[in-house]
Amino acid sequence: MVFNTYAYPFLSAIAIVMIFSHAALAFDILDPTGNITIKWDVMSWTPDGYVAVVTMTNFQMYRHIMSPGWTLGWTWSKKEVIWGMVGAQATEQGDCSKFKGNIPHCCKRNPTVVDLLPGVPFNQQIANCCKGGVVASWGQDPSAAVSSFQVSVGLSGSSNRTVRLPKNFTLLAPGKGYTCSQAKPVPPTVFVSPDGRRRTQAMMTWNVTCTYSQILASQHPTCCVSLSSFYNSVITPCPACSCGCQNNNSCVASGSETIRSVVGTNRSTLNNAPSIQCTEHMCPIRVHWHVKLNYKEYWRVKISVINFNYQVNYTQWTLVVQHPNLNNVTQVFSFAYKPLVPYRSTNDSGMFYGLKFFNDVLMEAGPSGNIQSELILEKDIDTFTFKEGWAFPRNIYFNGDECKMPLPEDYPFLPNSAHLNQIASLTLAAFLLLTLLASW
Ligand SMILES: *[C@@H]1O[C@H](CO)[C@@H](O)[C@H](O)[C@H]1NC(C)=O
Ligand SMILES: *[C@@H]1O[C@H](CO)[C@@H](O)[C@H](O)[C@H]1NC(C)=O
Ligand SMILES: *[C@@H]1O[C@H](CO)[C@@H](O)[C@H](O)[C@H]1NC(C)=O
Ligand SMILES: *[C@@H]1O[C@H](CO)[C@@H](O)[C@H](O)[C@H]1NC(C)=O
Ligand SMILES: *[C@@H]1O[C@H](CO)[C@@H](O)[C@H](O)[C@H]1NC(C)=O
Ligand SMILES: *[C@@H]1O[C@H](CO)[C@@H](O)[C@H](O)[C@H]1NC(C)=O
Ligand SMILES: *[C@@H]1O[C@H](CO)[C@@H](O)[C@H](O)[C@H]1NC(C)=O
Ligand SMILES: *[C@@H]1O[C@H](CO)[C@@H](O)[C@H](O)[C@H]1NC(C)=O
Ligand SMILES: *[C@@H]1O[C@H](CO)[C@@H](O)[C@H](O)[C@H]1NC(C)=O
């Protein structure tokens, strides 16, 4: 292939933009302070250590922790052991052969801890535990954005001068996208009794903050965007290889009932077997944005999210959209909507999520593996246009990960304005007719 020399500055500009936008993913402009904070409250001292309540709060607006949940790890500073846990468990006991009689729950120098599954006996529970490690995002449900467990630590020192803080925290949630800070001593937490009449205080408290980076989480995007409009019959597909390319054994042929039944029944092969339907884009999730109707003062968009993963039911999914007209959302059908205003002066972004018991689960790939919504936006006369792809989203995130967009030159284009007006008035007429029919 021969490049015209004049193309180089343009190409390198694109490359720079791409590198820059990739790097920028580590910092989430729509949720700049989003983090998961892990707080250790030492509640009491014991003869050889302490009992702490560990509380994980997901302050991220739209990135939740989905099944199979979080795994928290750390490294002890000294020779600490875990005598017992309530509401969680260490995944491995490690070598406790030094102990006679009373055997610790875990003797590993770098324990890894997981939440218990729902339905454990009450005496093994504490508040906010036992949800299989599933934690909602703050924007969706702050009351479900917390996960807690209690840990009894021995051989650790038993005063605020002798305790050494654990080091090197790691959080899988469930992928490896999070990086955690050092534990930092903070003012002891003050607890207020439910009736508000008594205040108690932790003996000692330290915080760890974990932040997400999409690049750490996965090499490729995990979702892509396709586009269409009423004013052009072209459907712009997701870019090819958006989420990696097809190779042998990396995907499941669509409609392949045999493979699907294997995937569905033999759980022991789940970890190795491919679970993504073979497509040009190879993404587990495709988001389709259809500019559906043009009214005089409003316009209407249909959003669909399609699951291509045969092994995942996406519970508590979220969809974040950036579009300049989101400052004027008039109505959203079938999804919950929340503007992401606090951090944006332009009010151009918002989050969509499912309605409980209706569509808060995006089912595994197949006939029911999709969800849909329509929204009506009020046109701002000064900026609204169908030209130059203005009606298409600037960015879309599914479950907090940025989706791959088509290149602007591939967007469905506006044929010409005369044509548009014709279509628009036809559409309007059709809409009026439908409304008339519907009201009968
Ligand atoms: C973590 O998130 C909370 C809530 O948004 C914020 O107040 C806090 O400053 C954040 N912490 C860090 C270290 O970013
Ligand atoms: C340890 O606890 C004592 C008594 O509660 C308190 O006065 C002291 O400031 C604490 N020291 C540290 C390092 O937190
Ligand atoms: C913590 O991690 C750092 C860097 O990964 C490593 O150098 C250090 O040895 C680790 N500390 C412990 C106590 O494992
Ligand atoms: C420690 O974390 C808690 C959230 O669990 C937060 O409310 C508190 O402000 C944090 N403390 C500091 C000093 O960041
Ligand atoms: C796919 O497998 C076939 C035979 O098993 C092999 O010849 C071919 O090179 C493989 N292709 C890729 C892309 O791995
Ligand atoms: C599942 O797959 C494994 C390995 O391929 C095989 O040994 C096992 O018999 C299969 N189990 C069922 C129930 O088909
Ligand atoms: C998804 O949910 C449906 C209905 O609850 C269930 O039958 C199916 O096994 C689930 N799929 C996975 C991969 O968990
Ligand atoms: C739409 O935006 C315009 C200008 O930005 C504003 O005056 C108007 O109140 C907005 N309409 C709605 C429904 O928010
Ligand atoms: C964004 O929304 C907030 C609250 O709805 C409003 O106070 C603010 O004026 C809006 N900003 C812009 C630039 O529209």
Side-chain angles (χ1 to χ4, degrees):
M1 196 198 283
V2 180
F3 280 114
N4 181 326
T5 35
Y6 294 108
Y8 282 119
F10 179 63
L11 287 175
S12 46
I14 289 182
I16 287 165
V17 167
M18 285 170 83
I19 290 164
F20 186 73
S21 75
H22 207 55
L25 293 178
F27 173 74
D28 192 339
I29 52 162
L30 299 182
D31 188 11
T33 64
N35 65 69
I36 296 180
T37 300
I38 300 159
K39 179 168 65 96
W40 288 54
D41 287 311
V42 174
M43 305 303 286
S44 59
W45 301 111
T46 59
D48 74 335
Y50 60 86
V51 175
V53 170
V54 180
T55 306
M56 192 183 293
T57 309
N58 182 9
F59 288 113
Q60 299 177 106
M61 285 307 287
Y62 47 78
R63 191 174 296 110
H64 63 301
I65 303 180
M66 63 175 239
S67 185
W70 53 261
T71 304
L72 183 64
W74 62 85
T75 306
W76 291 119
S77 296
K78 300 194 285 190
K79 302 244 179 270
E80 290 90 337
V81 294
I82 299 175
W83 282 116
M85 299 189 87
V86 182
Q89 60 186 354
T91 56
E92 285 180 71
Q93 185 178 32
D95 178 6
C96 293
S97 59
K98 284 198 314 225
F99 293 85
K100 303 273 181 289
N102 225 356
I103 310 289
H105 175 77
C106 174
C107 301
K108 281 182 73 95
R109 199 171 134 69
N110 52 347
T112 51
V113 169
V114 293
D115 195 7
L116 298 179
L117 296 173
V120 299
F122 282 115
N123 63 0
Q124 292 169 33
Q125 292 190 18
I126 70 162
N128 297 315
C129 85
C130 314
K131 300 186 282 192
V134 171
V135 183
S137 69
W138 192 260
Q140 241 173 316
D141 186 358
S143 70
V146 183
S147 189
S148 297
F149 61 88
Q150 182 184 296
V151 59
S152 309
V153 180
L155 309 186
S156 66
S158 51
S159 78
N160 63 2
R161 283 174 309 279
T162 53
V163 163
R164 292 286 164 271
L165 309 190
K167 291 189 160 69
N168 284 10
F169 279 85
T170 55
L171 176 65
L172 302 178
K176 52 179 167 39
Y178 288 88
T179 309
C180 298
S181 71
Q182 295 282 0
K184 183 175 89 187
V186 298
T189 307
V190 173
F191 301 95
V192 181
S193 66
D195 62 7
R197 286 154 52 89
R198 183 175 152 78
R199 293 156 72 85
T200 52
Q201 191 177 320
M203 302 289 144
M204 194 178 173
T205 299
W206 57 83
N207 276 9
V208 175
T209 308
C210 305
T211 50
Y212 183 81
S213 153
Q214 188 173 338
I215 306 165
L216 282 182
S218 70
Q219 184 188 357
H220 297 290
T222 52
C223 52
C224 63
V225 179
S226 56
L227 307 168
S228 60
S229 65
F230 67 84
Y231 53 74
N232 191 323
S233 60
V234 165
I235 297 175
T236 304
C238 283
C241 298
S242 287
C243 306
C245 291
Q246 266 189 36
N247 58 47
N248 282 357
N249 311 324
S250 69
C251 60
V252 181
S254 70
S256 157
E257 288 306 321
T258 49
I259 294 174
R260 262 177 62 195
S261 63
V262 169
V263 165
T265 56
N266 194 338
R267 294 277 150 191
S268 66
T269 57
L270 280 187
N271 290 337
N272 311 327
S275 62
I276 310 284
Q277 185 180 313
C278 300
T279 55
E280 286 286 305
H281 53 76
M282 288 297 290
C283 292
I285 294 289
R286 175 166 70 88
V287 180
H288 187 75
W289 178 279
H290 176 62
V291 178
K292 188 175 177 183
L293 286 172
N294 181 28
Y295 312 129
K296 188 152 170 277
E297 288 165 4
Y298 300 90
W299 58 297
R300 188 171 179 124
V301 171
K302 177 173 179 177
I303 302 176
S304 318
V305 185
I306 303 113
N307 186 357
F308 292 93
N309 192 331
Y310 287 110
Q311 275 168 35
V312 179
N313 289 328
Y314 292 92
T315 55
Q316 298 184 341
W317 57 269
T318 62
L319 191 72
V320 168
V321 175
Q322 226 183 324
H323 187 284
N325 213 164
L326 284 186
N327 64 349
N328 256 329
V329 170
T330 305
Q331 199 172 357
V332 177
F333 301 90
S334 322
F335 289 176
Y337 176 72
K338 188 178 275 185
L340 291 172
V341 281
Y343 310 115
R344 308 279 299 170
S345 53
T346 46
N347 293 354
D348 64 347
S349 43
M351 66 185 276
F352 298 86
Y353 51 99
L355 304 174
K356 222 174 167 96
F357 307 122
F358 175 54
N359 56 5
D360 59 336
V361 181
L362 171 53
M363 295 296 285
E364 61 192 15
S368 37
N370 65 86
I371 44 174
Q372 282 157 25
S373 166
E374 298 199 0
L375 48 153
I376 296 180
L377 303 116
E378 184 179 345
K379 292 177 185 173
D380 176 348
I381 300 307
D382 297 331
T383 52
F384 180 85
T385 174
F386 284 121
K387 285 190 200 128
E388 288 165 0
W390 191 88
F392 296 113
R394 305 302 179 261
N395 267 313
I396 289 200
Y397 300 67
F398 180 78
N399 280 355
D401 280 339
E402 189 173 352
C403 302
K404 179 90 174 163
M405 295 286 298
L407 291 172
E409 57 261 39
D410 295 333
Y411 285 15
F413 58 89
L414 194 61
N416 64 53
S417 34
H419 190 198
L420 174 73
N421 287 339
Q422 205 180 355
I423 295 173
S425 39
L426 274 177
T427 319
L428 188 62
F431 172 73
L432 289 174
L433 187 66
L434 281 175
T435 324
L436 206 61
L437 288 172
S439 62
W440 276 356

